[in-house]
């Protein structure tokens, strides 16, 4: 693995290269996606079917074949062996409880004039959930994306997930049943995003689209943003481990592997002030790698984007972490609470030696859809709040209107907005109306 | 004004045309904006200065001239006459209180195994606020955009606002002082958004950009989204009044004017089951329009996008309102609470005859930056939460790790992610580590 030292002369440039989250120019993807979206808008189902036949090598003749009936979702759940089914149900229950704890609530207060101010909460009406399909079919992603929508009270959850060659993953179907998915289409790529954003003869248009996908899906979500909501444009996944040396180097190595096995573009970083520990992690990586079934992906990922970084002390480790704003941050120390206050940016924080990212990926409860590529500087985990809206409420009393009107009038006149001023002024007369 | 009747044969098509929020193809704006962003990224300050000289006809020779020192902001506040200053301060205090009432809070709970789950809250570090300048310079927008950032605890608020011809609006400077703006640059357009997103020699890069602007600013925000956060891509402003006929038609006319005077692309709609009331509003519009200093804009706006819509009853009015998902919704009825439960989508709701939109625009407290163009289906008012992030916390106990590990392992193996499984498994042994 790459080794960096914060005292080295070239550290800044190497570190900047490592954390650079700029995606390379992708003009070709952009224009291809724009063409697919325009085509789906214009031709609806027939365009979606054609792209699905071409890009997913799916033998479907029409859209009917591409919808999976709710009964088949339920049947997939019923058919699961007891042990994985119990695991899936435990994960779902925990994800659901956490989402319940985050629900936005209505609130209101009265000011000194009896004006009522506050907000009411409404769910989004129809949500679209994208779940990757084929080789990278993850039932956990289905739970993480759809359950918060269900907890929010979304009326209809539409899932899309490609079935390359016509093959579907039964655990994905089972997870969809558990998460209350209302309709399930085996379509994917930019064509699925376009179908959800604009609607077709068969696919209902939705209000917001969430869920991970490849570069085409990410770009399609970006292009339909505004027409519908999106939760984020996801990039490659990342983990940063801050280790003071008190942990087991093999655990650290396995946690780096767990991130790296997602794909060759994943990023796995570890920062420590303990040089012996860094050496021990490096040795553990070498020693354990061969046991890993996904060792080729792990090796490529660690070579491309992995690093072990030596620093002076844990304060410097935290400072670098804040520059990275990692999606997943593991605090591999005995007392993680002592570091927590200084952490400014991270998607999720895994506290202490007993909390690997894998718990958060599957079953701890908090969502595994997290801001990537330094976007934790300004965004947060997917949550029930992504499927809820706050509607502001202003209810002026007669006395309150008399108090607010002169303020609004004065400011409106200052902005040259005379109708605003008049509209406020007429409310000031307490005896009228 | 245009009159529609929900019983007419052509109602659906006329209504759809009226609420169509699709922006026309704007390929020229897109590519012009992309070129400006690329240029500012490449050349920094000198590109920004050149665009400012060209597009804003500002005589600035360099960026130094385009920054306004904090002392000058304070001086502008001190120089304000007492009455408007008091109004600005009252508005600021009310906006600040409302933002305080909305702050996200940390929370955590323990599950049955002693695992701690929850979230901590951190402010965004640096926020960029765009405020329109020149003729449409609105001190109220400065307060509405910057105060939630200040309440959130943002470390540095960078404001950009163009000064066409070199002229600045003193009330805008005063509002910036009140709202705790740290640095103020008189730059605008796509070049200002690019400078905030990527940083230049003089302008620091920020983590999120908020605030309204013209089509170039909106497109620039869309293009830098991902590199930085944005609150929304704002379109023309809108009001929808639901009236049962119990109100004063002149008040309704003034409220329609207040929306229409923003610009020729503003939308002002009123729906009522009371045909006499609709006639009275139409007559009031005709009668009062000539008194309005901004009558030319109002007339054009009402002709282009205004409408009075007759419906069977208030239930139908609410159903149409939910299809429109209006930015501003006035419930011009005696008992607005009776309608509230049925309202699914709206940016802000103005309850009862005494609450004109103008109160919300200036001083009621809730934010006036609201979702436009039907985006209230999936988004909410700007708020303190736009400047805060939720960082998920997972802290497994030894007993809790032993409970979670088998669940994570089972699901990881199901997804073929063996390193995830191993990383979970090693935490299960309660006596080790």
């Amino acid at each position: 693995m790459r080794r960096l030292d914060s005292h080295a002369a070239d550290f800044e440039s190497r570190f900047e290269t490592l954390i650079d989250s700029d995606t390379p120019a992708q003009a070709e993807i952009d224009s291809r996606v724009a063409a697919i979206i325009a085509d789906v808008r214009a031709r609806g189902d027939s365009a979606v079917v054609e792209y699905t036949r071409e890009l997913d090598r799916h033998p479907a003749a029409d859209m009917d074949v591409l919808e999976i009936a709710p009964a088949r979702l339920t049947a997939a759940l019923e058919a699961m062996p007891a042990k994985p089914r119990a695991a899936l149900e435990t994960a779902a229950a925990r994800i659901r409880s956490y989402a319940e704890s985050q629900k936005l609530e209505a609130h209101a207060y009265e000011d000194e004039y009896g004006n009522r101010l506050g907000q009411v909460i409404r769910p989004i009406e129809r949500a679209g959930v994208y779940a990757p399909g084929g080789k990278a079919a993850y039932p956990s992603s289905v739970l993480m994306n759809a359950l918060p929508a269900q907890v929010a009270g979304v009326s209809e959850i539409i899932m899309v997930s490609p079935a390359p060659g016509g093959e579907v993953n039964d655990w994905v179907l089972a997870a969809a049943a558990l998460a209350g998915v209302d309709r399930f289409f085996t379509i994917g790529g930019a064509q699925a995003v376009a179908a959800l954003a604009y609607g077709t003869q068969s696919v209902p248009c939705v209000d917001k689209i969430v869920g991970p996908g490849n570069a085409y899906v990410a770009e399609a979500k970006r292009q339909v943003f505004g027409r519908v909501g999106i939760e984020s444009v996801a990039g490659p996944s990342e983990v940063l481990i801050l280790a003071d040396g008190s942990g087991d180097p093999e655990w650290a190595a396995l946690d780096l592997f767990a991130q790296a096995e997602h794909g060759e573009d994943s990023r796995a970083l570890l920062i420590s002030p303990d040089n012996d520990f860094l050496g021990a992690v490096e040795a553990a990586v070498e020693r354990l790698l061969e046991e890993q079934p996904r060792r080729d992906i792990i090796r490529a990922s660690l070579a491309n984007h992995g690093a072990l970084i030596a620093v002076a002390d844990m304060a410097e480790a935290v400072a670098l972490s804040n520059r990275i704003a990692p999606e997943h941050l593991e605090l591999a120390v005995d007392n993680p609470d002592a570091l927590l206050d200084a952490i400014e940016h991270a998607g999720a924080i895994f506290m202490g030696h007993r909390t690997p990212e894998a718990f958060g990926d599957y079953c701890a409860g908090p969502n595994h859809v997290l801001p990537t590529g330094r976007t934790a500087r300004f965004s947060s985990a997917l949550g029930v709040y992504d499927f809820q809206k706050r509607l502001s409420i202003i209810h002026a009393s007669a006395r309150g209107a008399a108090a607010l009107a002169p303020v609004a009038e004065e400011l409106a006149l200052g902005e040259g907005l005379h109708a605003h001023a008049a509209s406020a002024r007429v409310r000031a007369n307490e005896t009228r109306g």
Side-chain angles (χ1 to χ4, degrees), chain A residues 231-404:
Chain A
E231 94 289 18
S232 67
V233 176
S237 190
E238 329 137 10
V239 72
L240 170 62
I241 305 173
L242 302 190
D244 62 2
S246 63
D248 184 326
E250 293 201 352
W251 293 12
L254 290 173
D255 291 2
L256 295 172
F257 291 172
Q259 185 53 245
E261 75 176 339
H262 275 295
E264 297 185 3
D265 55 359
S266 288
R267 261 170 233 241
L269 307 175
L270 183 147
I271 302 181
S272 179
D274 182 335
N275 263 305
D276 293 342
F277 184 78
L278 288 169
V281 172
E282 190 171 28
V285 165
E286 293 305 320
R287 189 168 64 243
L288 300 177
L289 186 56
E290 286 310 310
E291 299 168 9
Q292 286 298 321
R294 293 168 73 88
R295 56 189 167 273
D296 293 342
I297 296 170
I298 294 172
R299 191 178 290 113
S301 165
L302 292 181
N304 294 338
H305 303 291
L308 303 174
I309 304 176
V311 288
D313 51 32
M314 287 306 286
E316 189 181 6
V318 169
L320 289 181
S321 173
N322 284 335
R323 285 176 61 187
I324 293 170
E327 180 191 11
H328 303 100
L329 176 62
E330 290 190 3
L331 301 181
V333 301
D334 287 329
N335 180 12
D337 284 303
L339 295 181
L340 186 59
D341 279 353
I343 305 295
E344 295 292 338
H345 315 290
I349 306 176
F350 300 84
M351 307 278 286
H353 300 300
R354 290 282 178 184
T355 318
E357 185 200 316
F359 286 177
D361 290 342
Y362 289 110
C363 57
N367 210 286
H368 81 194
V369 180
L370 294 165
T372 59
R374 305 191 65 222
T375 60
R377 293 175 295 122
F378 55 82
S379 56
S380 308
L382 185 72
V384 66
Y385 39 77
D386 278 293
F387 301 96
Q388 296 183 300
K389 305 160 301 171
R390 301 164 167 101
L391 291 67
S392 303
I393 300 290
I394 306 174
H395 195 161
S397 64
R399 191 163 63 97
L404 293 178

Side-chain angles (χ1 to χ4, degrees), chain A residues 105-111 114-121 391-395:
Chain A
E105 301 292 345
H107 71 83
Y109 64 92
E110 276 198 10
D111 70 10
N115 295 311
R116 189 156 54 94
L117 307 166
Q119 65 184 26
V120 294
I121 306 296
L391 291 67
S392 303
I393 300 290
I394 306 174
H395 195 161

Side-chain angles (χ1 to χ4, degrees), chain A residues 193-219:
Chain A
V193 174
L196 289 172
Y198 291 97
T200 68
Q201 296 84 342
S202 304
V203 182
C205 61
V206 301
D207 300 306
K208 188 165 185 169
I209 300 173
V210 304
N214 63 19
Y216 289 86
V217 171
E219 176 57 26

